[in-house]
Amino acid sequence: MRALILTLACLALSACGLSPMYAGGGSGAVAQGLAAVEVSAIEGQSGWLVRNALNDRLTAAGSASPQYRLDVRLDDQLEGLGVLRDDTISRERRTLRARYQLIDLSTGDILLDATAGSDAGIDVVSSEYATIAAEQTALENLAQDVAQRIVTRVALALRKEQ
């Protein structure tokens, strides 16, 4: 009876139409497509962090001659949220938003035009050094998060192109 149920479950799952995005590992179509994405320069410190994170993720399967270009524009904001009685800020929020386009270099067509973003809360403490370090750490973490979101959307777009 268990064997019959297991067989029916396997048949039901195989008929669902789902397939792994990264089928074939590093030699699969999506991984090779990601390796063929060239990231344009992005201005500012946050741009440097995001570009490095993108390149790390895109070239994980190796490198290939560029077939696509990824243009990214960032908006990095730091705003005070919590205000104490003496009008000092006790909490900040750092927001990193990206607008990006994936462009096919052979045709010039825009394959993907989307946005990604993330934010983080920062406690403002009496030590200015600790607050600056927390702001920097938040920016580094946000850059990693935004880069991962961009790569996921780019992978989905490349999968549709296949």
Side-chain angles (χ1 to χ4, degrees), residues 74-134:
L74 294 177
D75 180 27
D76 180 18
Q77 294 185 1
L78 185 64
E79 62 181 327
L81 293 178
V83 180
L84 300 175
R85 289 183 188 160
D86 62 352
D87 289 332
T88 58
I89 295 173
S90 64
R91 187 99 175 128
E92 294 177 333
R93 180 173 74 178
R94 183 157 218 161
T95 307
L96 186 63
R97 301 277 180 251
R99 169 123 192 239
Y100 57 96
Q101 293 180 328
L102 181 66
I103 301 166
D104 187 333
L105 292 176
S106 62
T107 63
D109 292 341
I110 296 174
L111 304 176
L112 177 64
D113 187 357
T115 60
S118 190
D119 60 87
I122 304 164
D123 288 328
V124 177
V125 294
S126 59
S127 168
E128 188 174 330
Y129 175 78
T131 301
I132 292 170

Side-chain angles (χ1 to χ4, degrees), residues 21-23 25-39 53-70 100 102 111-112 147-159 161-162:
M21 181 183 303
Y22 296 106
S27 60
V30 172
Q32 291 300 310
L34 289 176
V37 175
E38 172 187 60
V39 182
L54 285 169
N55 282 330
D56 288 346
R57 285 168 174 75
L58 293 171
T59 59
S63 61
S65 61
Q67 296 175 355
Y68 308 99
R69 185 180 74 236
L70 185 63
Y100 57 96
L102 181 66
L111 304 176
L112 177 64
Q148 184 60 49
R149 291 171 190 259
I150 291 172
V151 169
T152 300
R153 290 286 305 273
V154 167
L156 289 171
L158 292 175
R159 184 174 182 206
E161 290 295 312
Q162 305 300 326

Side-chain angles (χ1 to χ4, degrees), residues 36-60:
V37 175
E38 172 187 60
V39 182
S40 299
I42 311 168
E43 67 180 59
Q45 179 188 16
S46 57
W48 182 80
L49 290 168
V50 169
R51 185 170 190 267
N52 283 345
L54 285 169
N55 282 330
D56 288 346
R57 285 168 174 75
L58 293 171
T59 59

